[in-house]
Amino acid sequence: MSVADWLISAEERDNRATRLDRRHRDGFAWTVGNDVRPLVHGVSYFAELLRCVRSMRAGDLLLFTDWRGDPDQAMNAAGDEISVLLCEAVTRGVVVKGLVWRSHLDAFTFSEQENRHLGEDIGAAGGECLRDMRVRLGGSHHQKFVVLRHPGRPQLDVAFVGGIDLCHSRRDDSGHRGDDQPQPIAAVYGPRPPWHDIQLAIRGPAVGDIETVFRERWQDPAPLSRNPFNRCIDAIRREDTSPGLLPAQLPDPLPWGSHTVQVLRTYPHRRAGYPFAPEGERSIARAYEKVLARAHTLIYLEDQYFWSAEVAACFAAALRARPGLRLIAILPHHPDADGRLSLPPNLVGQQRALDHLRAAGGDRVAVYGIENRSGIPVYVHAKVSVVDNVWASVGSDNLNLRSWTHDSELSCAIMDETADPRMPVSLNRFGDEPGVFARELRLALAREHLDRRPGDDSDLIDPRTAFAAFHDSAATLDRWYADGKRGPRPPGRLRPHHAPRLDSATLAWATPLYRMLYDPDGRPRSLRRRHRFRRPRTGPPLTPADAGSRLSRGRSVRG
């Protein structure tokens, strides 16, 4: 098996302005020799992040980006807060630089004040945490990653990438009783919403790629916001809006393990654009298109949304092309918003996406939600894909047009050089062998959802029998409820996902809101018209110098 059959090339990334692929001397658009460990749930991630940051010393470098950051978020049961952790690192001499999305107003259930306070705390300690609004109109910076570098101690270098924000509600565990510091969402999830999520801990050369993603954003010469009101308020508050210098980038860490990692991103198309992505980047979407063309046995997904008929069409095409292909999707039972005006637009895109999948795959498509042992639904915030036990992806991106085209996103695709010898040893027509990482990630998630102990997964190794095991577990739990919950609750947390159907009158007003506000399309008009995620080559692409020239001529950037 060649990883080039599964991973996108630099040309397929379709963004020659980025340093991400040019920094690889071997010409590949990925790195080999990494060690990747999945940290399922916020408790696991926060504990590991806390341990690693506390081991940093003077001269080390800590870089992070986030969608939301709550300064008082506890990192452990003792109540150690993220703001204190980062500020203490600064006082020890660690160079701390952060970029958080400026966010919309708190009145619209966003996090403007929280993100500002986190930045103020770090700035007061001597670090820098800037609020970045260099986004498309209505967009956000949704990347969630932390990079830790240690001059002279490269064996400690690590990057954390995934979907877990440094904020309230995220510190949950496999029992899914919720975070002690909850962020309210739809009432059906209760006062302490159970939360399912995942982050990766990456060691090896890929750390350098993820650091490059941060450096490209930090070194963007465009102002953090072009909104005159924002700039006036920032001036009154004397808020730091000028990124300081970064230390020179260290050489990549030496190979550490058997995992190949490809860094994938989304940046929107904007007037003048980013210097590192003048015409945007849609490598996440391109990666899915390539991988789905090879999918043969099972696509396993966990996602917060799964919106958009156009995104679903990529999966539906694979299901139509290969009659033996199955798809399992784990989604929230209910959207996170339940207002009279906010709920229907949340349902529009998913209703159409799932209709596409079921029309293509019939009973080969299974969609579930999860609940805890008390019967409270668990909010699925994870963004995970595993295809044929060969390719896995974890990141900040959801399966919708917003994540594939409109907001900034970061995801990592992982393949394992170590083949899994357990049967079946080949799952597709190409003879590709399952990798240990992809299969073990899927099995770990499956064991949790089915209430299995470690090692109790002999019927889950083969994706075909795993599909049946998911169905049987969900059906058994449904029968227990139908029988009035008589007797002990059966093991398993899966229940079939049944979203309410919207009538034509509701669709008439909710669909425009969904398209404009909830799931906007950030592609150039030419790609939107063609329903494509990659530009046809008609001439040389923009370079960083071209983008800088446009900026110097005063062409504004939205946001």
Side-chain angles (χ1 to χ4, degrees), residues 53-338:
V53 173
R54 282 181 168 169
S55 71
M56 302 183 81
R57 64 193 188 192
D60 292 344
L61 178 64
L62 188 158
L63 310 173
F64 75 96
T65 70
D66 214 346
W67 179 80
R68 177 188 177 110
D70 287 311
D72 65 341
Q73 173 59 44
M75 305 297 287
N76 56 16
D80 294 306
E81 298 176 354
I82 181 61
S83 178
V84 174
L85 175 69
L86 297 177
C87 292
E88 286 179 346
V90 174
T91 60
R92 294 196 305 273
V94 177
V95 178
V96 175
K97 307 283 187 181
L99 286 170
V100 295
W101 177 44
R102 187 180 183 100
S103 188
H104 306 311
L105 296 175
D106 286 9
F108 299 104
T109 68
F110 288 97
S111 53
E112 183 196 29
Q113 294 301 316
E114 291 80 1
N115 290 358
R116 179 168 66 86
H117 294 326
L118 179 62
E120 289 173 341
D121 290 351
I122 295 172
E128 278 189 283
C129 180
L130 309 182
R131 293 192 298 155
D132 190 353
M133 201 61 176
R134 293 171 292 195
V135 297
R136 190 179 171 97
L137 182 65
S140 76
H141 280 302
H142 200 241
Q143 298 173 341
K144 306 137 192 272
F145 66 90
V146 180
V147 177
L148 309 181
R149 301 300 304 270
H150 307 77
R153 300 183 297 163
Q155 71 277 9
L156 299 180
D157 290 350
V158 61
F160 299 97
V161 176
I164 303 181
D165 300 278
L166 302 173
C167 72
H168 295 167
S169 276
R170 276 37 172 194
R171 204 179 72 84
D172 200 356
D173 59 22
S174 60
H176 289 310
R177 291 174 291 273
D179 190 341
D180 291 336
Q181 297 170 285
Q183 176 68 25
I185 56 175
V188 69
Y189 292 101
R192 187 172 157 175
W195 199 273
H196 176 69
D197 221 331
I198 186 170
Q199 198 87 351
L200 299 175
I202 302 173
R203 291 174 170 83
V207 172
D209 280 356
I210 298 161
E211 180 181 354
T212 298
V213 174
F214 182 92
R215 286 176 176 271
E216 286 186 333
R217 280 184 56 187
W218 185 267
Q219 293 164 349
D220 183 347
L224 295 174
S225 175
R226 290 187 180 272
N227 183 308
F229 177 77
N230 287 344
R231 298 179 75 169
C232 181
I233 293 297
D234 292 346
I236 293 172
R237 292 173 175 160
R238 298 184 179 180
E239 182 168 341
D240 183 6
T241 59
S242 301
L245 293 176
L246 289 171
Q249 186 164 356
L250 296 170
D252 290 351
L254 294 174
W256 186 273
S258 63
H259 300 147
T260 298
V261 175
Q262 179 161 61
V263 172
L264 304 168
R265 306 182 298 184
T266 297
Y267 288 112
H269 173 75
R270 301 160 67 228
R271 286 182 295 170
Y274 301 100
F276 50 85
E279 298 176 34
E281 181 176 319
R282 292 161 291 278
S283 54
I284 291 173
R286 296 288 299 124
Y288 271 103
E289 287 183 320
K290 184 166 186 174
V291 166
L292 293 175
R294 294 184 72 84
H296 188 77
T297 305
L298 178 68
I299 301 168
Y300 178 86
L301 306 171
E302 294 189 0
D303 198 71
Q304 182 182 2
Y305 297 123
F306 209 133
W307 289 348
S308 171
E310 190 165 348
V311 169
C314 300
F315 294 85
L319 288 164
R320 288 193 180 94
R322 288 170 288 285
L325 180 62
R326 296 167 177 82
L327 184 147
I328 295 174
I330 309 296
L331 308 177
H333 274 300
H334 310 276
D336 59 352
D338 55 4

Side-chain angles (χ1 to χ4, degrees), residues 346-526:
N346 271 278
L347 297 172
V348 168
Q350 189 179 95
Q351 176 175 309
R352 292 181 173 171
L354 296 185
D355 285 350
H356 267 58
L357 291 182
R358 287 165 175 150
D363 59 7
R364 293 180 289 124
V365 173
V367 184
Y368 303 102
I370 53 179
E371 63 180 33
N372 64 18
R373 297 290 294 176
S374 299
I376 301 172
V378 175
Y379 191 70
V380 178
H381 192 259
K383 302 95 167 58
V384 180
S385 301
V386 180
V387 178
D388 285 353
N389 290 340
V390 175
W391 180 93
S393 173
V394 175
S396 68
D397 57 299
N398 293 296
L399 296 170
N400 58 11
L401 279 177
R402 178 179 281 278
S403 280
W404 280 20
T405 70
H406 195 274
D407 291 354
S408 73
E409 304 283 5
L410 180 70
S411 181
C412 287
I414 306 100
M415 297 181 68
D416 199 336
E417 297 173 15
T418 304
D420 190 327
R422 293 172 292 182
M423 297 295 291
V425 295
S426 179
L427 292 165
N428 63 26
R429 64 192 186 280
F430 305 108
D432 296 332
E433 294 180 325
V436 171
F437 179 88
R439 182 176 265 170
E440 279 302 320
L441 175 60
R442 181 179 63 80
L443 290 177
L445 296 169
R447 287 193 299 266
E448 177 184 315
H449 301 329
L450 299 175
D451 277 333
R452 304 278 191 93
R453 294 178 179 177
D456 182 13
D457 51 19
S458 60
D459 59 332
L460 304 177
I461 295 172
D462 187 331
R464 293 162 293 195
T465 54
F467 189 87
F470 271 56
H471 173 272
D472 292 346
S473 178
T476 300
L477 187 54
D478 257 10
R479 283 196 299 270
W480 181 75
Y481 275 106
D483 290 342
K485 298 191 282 190
R486 288 184 295 176
R489 178 190 169 100
R493 310 177 188 186
L494 298 170
R495 300 195 67 189
H497 176 77
H498 298 298
R501 303 288 300 184
L502 300 178
D503 58 37
S504 57
T506 304
L507 285 170
W509 67 263
T511 299
L513 284 179
Y514 159 75
R515 289 175 175 166
M516 289 187 295
L517 301 178
Y518 289 78
D519 198 22
D521 193 331
R523 291 174 292 183
R525 287 193 181 92
S526 59

